[in-house]
Amino acid sequence: MGLFLSTHVNKVDKKGRVSVPSSFRGVLGGQTELIVFRSLQANAIDACAVDYMDRLSEALDNPNKPDDMRDLIETTVFGGSVRLAIDPEGRIVLPEHFMAFAGITEGAAFVGRRHTFQIWDPDALSVHEAASRDRSRAQNISLSTILARTNSVLAGGGSSGGGVQ
Amino acid sequence: MGLFLSTHVNKVDKKGRVSVPSSFRGVLGGQTELIVFRSLQANAIDACAVDYMDRLSEALDNPNKPDDMRDLIETTVFGGSVRLAIDPEGRIVLPEHFMAFAGITEGAAFVGRRHTFQIWDPDALSVHEAASRDRSRAQNISLSTILARTNSVLAGGGSSGGGVQ
DNA sequence: TGGGTGCTTATGGGGTATCATGGGATGGGA
DNA sequence: TCCCATCCCATGATACCCCATAAGCACCCA
């Protein structure tokens, strides 16, 4: 119950409300607010807990970060983010221009990404997911290979993998 | 009692429930949840304990990990995986699209793979196993050759190791 | 050695709590 | 006074939990 996991598709009603999946609300703990902003990588909406934003801010203060990246993130993420209230039934109302940006109309797909999650139009997600799976397959990613490979990275070694699968 | 071993075939009842083999539940310790994920290599479902996923998540936070790889894994693995509760009788309910993906209808084969296990349609598994056996035979793999070859690697030596088999 | 006994495991069905979703009511701001 | 946002309540569907039954296995005792 600590990480945002799995994908849930929920309906958007005519008032613009959409339920945040129960398991995601569980990850948020008792928090009745969350942060959303337009994703930098895709036509999707990124979302996270309020306190996650604080940690992101600290990371940004790291002097090793290039200045232009800091500028970019400050503008797009912090400037473009919105704080949303979760109603007693666990629903949120996405701002109009966010819906348009992600192409969301009557359905919204919530995709867990560990510390954050994304909100997609279901159709756009299918397309994106298919492409991602292909790329992952090309990299030979599986539950068992990720750990093995990461450990070798940590050890400084770069065994190219090519495992038996 | 530490590794997922051997293969068990169980029935899927009309509610979609299927028993996790008792020995697998033993490996999970007291954990009442597990993670499932559509395999990238085969039409089967990968499964692991929740804490395995936690370790995977920690590994992903390693700053040496390339950013694009992290994105890919977060989307494919974490977005594509589902957390399933194990009921008091030791059963799980696989999501509809997971069943369809693996071609599972009335039976499910649980295949131990050490730290993870897979769930197959029994018929699809037979086909896959036959193919795997052929490949093993072609590569002259046996339990004793694996150890012998690994040891020689560790020792830095390259004794070509003509397999006994 | 063979039969019986008791436990663990797998499977089936029914009842209940939770969740997603829809509609209506209420209150504050324009 | 009107409109919009929020909150409250109702409902259908689903997921979860509890109990019951049956089948396999190991152990024990005769």
Side-chain angles (χ1 to χ4, degrees):
Chain A
M1 191 57 81
L3 299 173
F4 295 107
L5 212 62
S6 104
T7 296
H8 307 260
V9 177
N10 287 338
K11 279 190 187 175
V12 179
D13 68 20
K14 48 189 168 188
K15 290 182 179 180
R17 297 176 300 187
V18 57
S19 291
V20 177
S22 172
S23 66
F24 284 19
R25 299 199 306 262
V27 176
L28 290 172
Q31 299 180 70
T32 59
E33 287 181 316
L34 52 82
I35 306 287
V36 295
F37 54 92
R38 280 161 293 183
S39 168
L40 299 173
Q41 285 86 27
N43 285 338
I45 298 167
D46 275 340
C48 64
V50 175
D51 55 11
Y52 184 81
M53 224 51 178
D54 297 337
R55 278 195 283 156
L56 193 67
S57 172
E58 287 173 20
L60 219 54
D61 285 333
N62 181 343
N64 292 332
K65 289 270 181 204
D67 286 340
D68 55 345
M69 175 180 288
R70 185 177 300 115
D71 271 357
L72 187 65
I73 292 183
E74 281 178 346
T75 305
T76 54
V77 177
F78 288 87
S81 68
V82 175
R83 196 176 181 129
L84 294 183
I86 303 177
D87 77 11
E89 282 75 39
R91 289 178 286 197
I92 54 174
V93 178
L94 292 170
E96 193 60 45
H97 60 290
F98 277 38
M99 305 256 292
F101 175 77
I104 293 172
T105 54
E106 56 207 31
F110 291 76
V111 182
R113 290 173 62 98
R114 303 194 299 144
H115 306 303
T116 66
F117 61 91
Q118 289 184 331
I119 308 174
W120 287 74
D121 172 67
D123 294 334
L125 178 63
S126 320
V127 174
H128 180 257
E129 203 186 51
S132 291
R133 283 180 69 83
D134 284 344
R135 279 201 297 147
S136 296
R137 191 176 296 115
Q139 307 253 6
N140 203 25
I141 289 174
S142 78
L143 284 184
S144 31
T145 56
I146 295 174
L147 267 186
R149 221 175 288 169
T150 306
N151 290 338
S152 68
V153 167
L154 283 174
S159 97
S160 63
V164 181
Q165 185 284 47
Chain B
M1 193 55 87
L3 298 176
F4 297 107
L5 285 181
S6 103
T7 297
H8 309 259
V9 177
N10 287 338
K11 276 191 188 175
V12 179
D13 69 19
K14 50 187 168 190
K15 288 182 174 181
R17 297 176 300 188
V18 57
S19 292
V20 176
S22 173
S23 66
F24 284 20
R25 299 199 305 262
V27 175
L28 290 172
Q31 298 181 72
T32 60
E33 289 181 315
L34 53 82
I35 307 287
V36 294
F37 166 73
R38 283 166 297 166
S39 169
L40 292 163
Q41 284 80 29
N43 284 339
I45 297 166
D46 278 337
C48 67
V50 174
D51 57 9
Y52 186 86
M53 212 61 170
D54 290 340
R55 274 194 289 153
L56 213 134
S57 176
E58 285 171 21
L60 225 52
D61 283 331
N62 174 3
N64 291 332
K65 204 86 177 160
D67 285 340
D68 56 343
M69 174 77 82
R70 183 179 301 116
D71 271 354
L72 196 58
I73 292 177
E74 283 184 341
T75 303
T76 312
V77 179
F78 287 85
S81 62
V82 176
R83 192 177 185 133
L84 295 183
I86 303 177
D87 76 12
E89 283 75 39
R91 289 177 289 195
I92 54 174
V93 178
L94 293 170
E96 191 62 43
H97 60 290
F98 276 48
M99 304 257 293
F101 175 79
I104 293 172
T105 54
E106 56 208 32
F110 291 76
V111 183
R113 291 174 65 96
R114 301 194 303 142
H115 305 301
T116 65
F117 60 92
Q118 289 185 329
I119 308 173
W120 287 75
D121 172 66
D123 294 336
L125 178 62
S126 322
V127 174
H128 177 78
E129 267 184 348
S132 296
R133 285 185 164 289
D134 289 345
R135 277 195 298 144
S136 297
R137 196 168 295 139
Q139 299 195 15
N140 202 20
I141 292 175
S142 77
L143 285 183
S144 40
T145 57
I146 293 173
L147 272 183
R149 284 178 202 173
T150 307
N151 290 337
S152 67
V153 167
L154 286 175
S159 89
S160 65
V164 181
Q165 170 36 290

